Amino acid sequence: MGGRARLACSFLLAVAGLTNASASTSSPDAGRSFDPKPVSKPIYGILGPRDAGARPDQEHVIKGPGDVDILIDTWLPKANGRHVPPTRVPVVMHMTPYEQKGYVYPELAEYRWLNALVPRGFAYSRVYLRGTGGSGGCMDHLGDDTVEDLTRAVEWLGRDASWTTGAVGSIGLSHHGGSQIALASRGDPRRTRYLKAMVVGAPYSSVYSARTWDGVPIVLAEAVTQVAHSQYGVSPGYDPTSISDLDSLQEYLDNRTRPGGVPEPQHLAQRAPCRAEGAPAAADPSGDFTPYFAERESRRWAHRIRAATLMVQGLHDLNIHSHNQVGLFDRIPDSTPHAGIFGWWEHAWPDQHRFRSEWRRANFMDGIVAAWFDRWLKGAPTGAERWPRAQVQDSTGQWRAEPNWPFTGAAAGQLALSQNGALGVADPGGSSTYTEGLLETEQTGIPEGQSVSWQTAPLPGLLHIAGPLVLDAHVVLDRPDAHLVARLELLDANGKPLPESEGASGPTTDGGALMAMRSMRHLDPMPRGYFEQAEGRPAPVGQPIRVSVRFDPTDLIVPAGGRIRLTLAGTMSWGPGVGEGAIGQPTLPSFSFTRVTVLHDCAYPSALRFLLRRNHPRYLNVREHDEPVGKPLSSRPPPKSPRPDANGLATAPVCGRTPTLIEDLRSRDG
């Protein structure tokens, strides 16, 4: 297992401690049942593109920009006894850089997509992105040429394929999800009108945000990933963005020998000169939102999405962070049918994650996804247009419905920083100072004087943070550059990390943490909810600067008696497991060794600011592993919801001012 994989596993097992629940129990079943049923039935067989009797255009090549071959393979429903499929069926397309021509590997997610959808009367078309699989050219994730390739692909599938009804859907997670968003938001709408529905998981729709966090490079290994993508131009059969150390790179190269892993002979010449722009872009330590990144920021066009969109995102995805949804899901037009499922898992689908296996959504593929495509590709009455706009899972596992996400319209909360490391006081005072250091890893820790921390007293009641969370700080610098990196930890009444209840080798006490960061050379506001500053500027020296340091949107419950600890430094590791690989995962420091003074009095207040859960939540009971398909879900009245504001602590005035969201977030809240 590579460094990033080990990191993700360790971190996710640690964050599981936030639940403080017993193992092998499903999430709470309070609330109204949500258990959609598709109309289609899995009654047909599957005809592959190279099977006897396949139609000629089940293996088809279109031409992309530069006369590049783009291969499309299609699997069709076939007769199964007395069940004979229609001659024309709707299409679900899968846009991928990972799978290889002619092979469907059982260990990959698309194996179950194909086997779930084709027997229900959908065609399944795999589009090999340029530079991968059976296509030519050089890989160019989210670039304009790739968007044009996909536009031509969906146009052919919707208009010209011999089996099509003219209705095209799409499905995929990560790279596959980002490709869908790029097509739906940036493709020529006259030609992409055939795209009617999408199922999008954790989309890699912003190349910038995948490697840089508001001006701060997240990890130092992205250049390795980009070189591997570009130099070898082939898919390893698993996500190459997981490459973060030399072991993983070797695994990537070894997988080229899998069937289909070698480029087609006619494409070898096209692959030879491939050198990704992404390699130097990933190695650029400036944190600037360059033209390269601007071209590959699909959230800029989210308002143009017209295909009915089912969005899925794990709240502790360390690959594609949940802050990638800010300015994406909440900017899809109301006129476009869309629904979201946001819960506690890693970079995975809701029914396949390893975060808490007993919380997996048992009917995700055969219930939710099939019903979504039935409704929007076949016009079947599944009721998908009446689903909650957002289903959100809190850290105890309980699901509820929200009118949007992450901006739910709920009340704001605050916890003010103060002297002597206090957090959550009404009349703060004083200041705190630290000096930026070099790469701080899990092994070395943060040397004395290179960080500062604040901690609450035991909370007088339950605190439920639901959505955006920022450190709104006033700082003074002695040099014109600094990286502010924050970590938020949950502690029990004794100051120890909250224990988890399920781990790979038994219970652990690593505790959970959320991270946030901001470059002080990049202080422009983010009115669309995401970073767009093209060029850094020297920060003012010797005067107060107000800066927002954004955490991932979350849905986090801290029990009464628990504590919250906030740490601020110039660089931090991502948590347990960091440094095990050859490269490791600390955030990039500014290397300025700046002295940072955090002001936190009533003249210059600094505080954690967040949204609270709404006072009267609409709880949902969803189908999980211990609720067999066919057994009706109950709609049981939920218990009375406790106050979400720590018994008034989070909503109390600070320096006489009630909580508000800062401007960076208010613009997104509408």
Side-chain angles (χ1 to χ4, degrees):
M1 184 183 291
R4 174 176 275 187
R6 284 191 292 265
L7 165 64
C9 183
S10 299
F11 185 87
L12 289 164
L13 292 175
V15 176
L18 303 179
T19 64
N20 200 25
S22 60
S24 70
T25 58
S26 70
S27 63
D29 291 334
R32 181 179 179 182
S33 67
F34 177 81
D35 192 24
K37 299 291 194 299
V39 173
S40 61
K41 305 294 183 184
I43 57 177
Y44 304 118
I46 299 175
L47 180 66
R50 294 164 190 87
D51 292 346
R55 300 189 192 190
D57 57 353
Q58 282 185 244
E59 183 180 5
H60 183 75
V61 174
I62 62 172
K63 291 293 184 178
D67 202 36
V68 168
D69 290 344
I70 303 298
L71 176 63
I72 304 174
D73 277 341
T74 299
W75 288 257
L76 293 176
K78 72 175 182 180
N80 179 25
R82 63 185 178 85
H83 300 293
V84 179
T87 303
R88 292 184 175 271
V89 293
V91 184
V92 176
M93 65 186 294
H94 172 52
M95 299 158 271
T96 178
Y98 305 140
E99 285 78 28
Q100 304 301 343
K101 174 182 176 180
Y103 293 86
V104 182
Y105 298 111
E107 67 269 26
L108 299 181
E110 79 150 356
Y111 180 81
R112 70 191 185 107
W113 304 338
L114 188 157
N115 283 278
L117 294 171
V118 176
R120 291 182 178 274
F122 297 92
Y124 182 89
S125 292
R126 180 198 285 171
V127 181
Y128 302 86
L129 298 181
R130 62 171 50 218
T132 72
S135 294
C138 297
M139 190 174 184
D140 178 32
H141 179 47
L142 298 186
D144 288 343
D145 284 348
T146 295
V147 173
E148 177 60 22
D149 293 340
L150 297 176
T151 298
R152 297 181 188 185
V154 75
E155 186 176 37
W156 182 81
L157 288 169
R159 185 189 64 190
D160 301 324
S162 65
W163 60 82
T164 185
T165 63
V168 180
S170 59
I171 191 169
L173 179 138
S174 192
H175 205 304
H176 316 142
S179 297
Q180 294 179 74
I181 296 297
L183 170 64
S185 63
R186 295 163 52 191
D188 180 348
R190 296 169 299 175
R191 298 156 60 210
T192 61
R193 67 185 186 274
Y194 305 99
L195 183 65
K196 306 297 184 182
M198 303 188 293
V199 177
V200 181
Y204 182 11
S205 54
S206 168
V207 174
Y208 181 88
S209 291
R211 66 192 64 168
T212 310
W213 193 313
D214 294 353
V216 179
I218 299 175
V219 295
L220 304 181
E222 292 297 342
V224 176
T225 299
Q226 293 301 318
V227 169
H229 268 307
S230 60
Q231 294 277 20
Y232 305 106
V234 295
S235 146
Y238 73 104
D239 186 351
T241 60
S242 67
I243 295 173
S244 58
D245 60 27
L246 300 182
D247 291 340
S248 293
L249 179 58
Q250 185 61 52
E251 186 178 354
Y252 181 101
L253 300 178
D254 290 345
N255 271 278
R256 295 180 65 220
T257 62
R258 295 178 70 162
V262 178
E264 297 289 309
Q266 68 270 28
H267 298 150
L268 287 173
Q270 296 178 7
R271 300 279 181 87
C274 292
R275 298 292 185 273
E277 298 174 76
D284 179 4
S286 70
D288 294 346
F289 188 74
T290 64
Y292 172 85
F293 293 125
E295 178 185 333
R296 293 160 177 82
E297 177 55 80
S298 294
R299 287 177 292 184
R300 297 168 64 190
W301 296 278
H303 63 283
R304 292 178 49 187
I305 294 175
R306 297 294 179 264
T309 303
L310 177 62
M311 187 76 72
V312 174
Q313 177 74 54
L315 298 184
H316 275 283
D317 187 334
L318 293 185
N319 194 328
I320 304 299
H321 291 261
S322 61
H323 75 252
N324 284 271
Q325 291 288 347
V326 181
L328 176 57
F329 183 75
D330 55 303
R331 292 186 69 236
I332 298 175
D334 286 340
S335 57
T336 296
H338 60 290
I341 301 177
F342 307 102
W344 280 65
W345 57 79
E346 72 279 18
H347 195 57
W349 293 105
D351 59 339
Q352 289 192 315
H353 64 81
R354 293 173 295 174
F355 180 68
R356 287 284 297 269
S357 59
E358 69 274 16
W359 288 0
R360 292 175 180 168
R361 299 286 291 263
N363 68 333
F364 178 71
M365 176 56 67
D366 290 319
I368 295 172
V369 171
W372 190 259
F373 284 139
D374 274 358
R375 172 65 184 89
W376 302 114
L377 298 185
K378 294 185 175 183
T382 64
E385 66 274 16
R386 297 187 298 275
W387 292 1
R389 175 59 53 85
Q391 300 174 48
V392 185
Q393 184 186 39
D394 67 37
S395 59
T396 71
Q398 175 67 61
W399 287 90
R400 69 184 189 281
E402 291 288 357
N404 204 352
W405 191 86
F407 303 98
T408 62
Q414 63 186 356
L415 294 172
L417 286 56
S418 190
Q419 57 196 351
N420 302 320
L423 179 63
V425 300
D427 296 301
S431 62
S432 305
T433 301
Y434 67 94
T435 300
E436 284 189 285
L438 286 172
L439 298 175
E440 294 152 357
T441 69
E442 184 69 16
Q443 283 78 8
T444 64
I446 303 176
E448 186 175 355
Q450 294 184 11
S451 68
V452 62
S453 294
W454 300 266
Q455 183 172 298
T456 65
L459 297 180
L462 175 146
L463 177 65
H464 191 160
I465 298 171
L469 167 67
V470 299
L471 170 60
D472 175 20
H474 286 90
V475 302
V476 177
L477 311 179
D478 72 345
R479 298 184 184 184
D481 189 14
H483 288 176
L484 305 187
V485 184
R487 177 184 291 137
L488 196 70
E489 299 168 276
L490 306 183
L491 311 170
D492 66 17
N494 297 315
K496 295 181 180 179
L498 286 171
E500 67 154 352
S501 59
E502 180 188 26
S505 56
T508 73
T509 55
D510 290 329
L514 299 177
M515 296 277 282
M517 52 207 78
R518 185 75 179 264
S519 163
M520 295 300 293
R521 285 176 48 85
H522 298 87
L523 297 175
D524 285 358
M526 293 174 265
R528 291 193 282 193
Y530 53 87
F531 185 93
E532 297 180 275
Q533 187 171 332
E535 186 174 0
R537 297 185 296 272
V541 173
Q543 64 186 67
I545 309 167
R546 188 180 184 186
V547 56
S548 61
V549 187
R550 306 189 304 161
F551 293 86
D552 275 328
T554 189
D555 206 275
L556 188 60
I557 291 179
V558 188
R563 300 172 185 250
I564 295 176
R565 180 166 62 203
L566 172 69
T567 301
L568 192 63
T571 170
M572 291 186 195
S573 65
W574 275 101
V578 173
E580 294 179 4
I583 296 176
Q585 302 268 356
T587 65
L588 189 70
S590 72
F591 299 107
S592 297
F593 304 100
T594 299
R595 185 174 176 83
V596 179
T597 299
V598 183
L599 307 177
H600 38 61
D601 56 21
C602 286
Y604 295 102
S606 295
L608 286 171
R609 301 193 187 278
F610 42 85
L611 287 182
L612 297 162
R613 187 209 69 220
R614 293 191 296 162
N615 285 327
H616 303 289
R618 293 174 51 206
Y619 288 130
L620 298 174
N621 180 17
V622 304
R623 187 172 296 280
E624 293 165 308
H625 79 109
D626 63 342
E627 296 155 320
V629 175
K631 175 185 175 182
L633 287 182
S634 64
S635 291
R636 63 182 67 170
K640 183 178 179 181
S641 300
R643 292 179 59 169
D645 61 355
N647 201 27
L649 175 68
T651 49
V654 171
C655 300
R657 300 172 215 161
T658 56
T660 60
L661 284 177
I662 62 173
E663 201 61 36
D664 273 351
L665 295 180
R666 193 197 314 276
S667 60
R668 298 298 324 124
D669 195 28

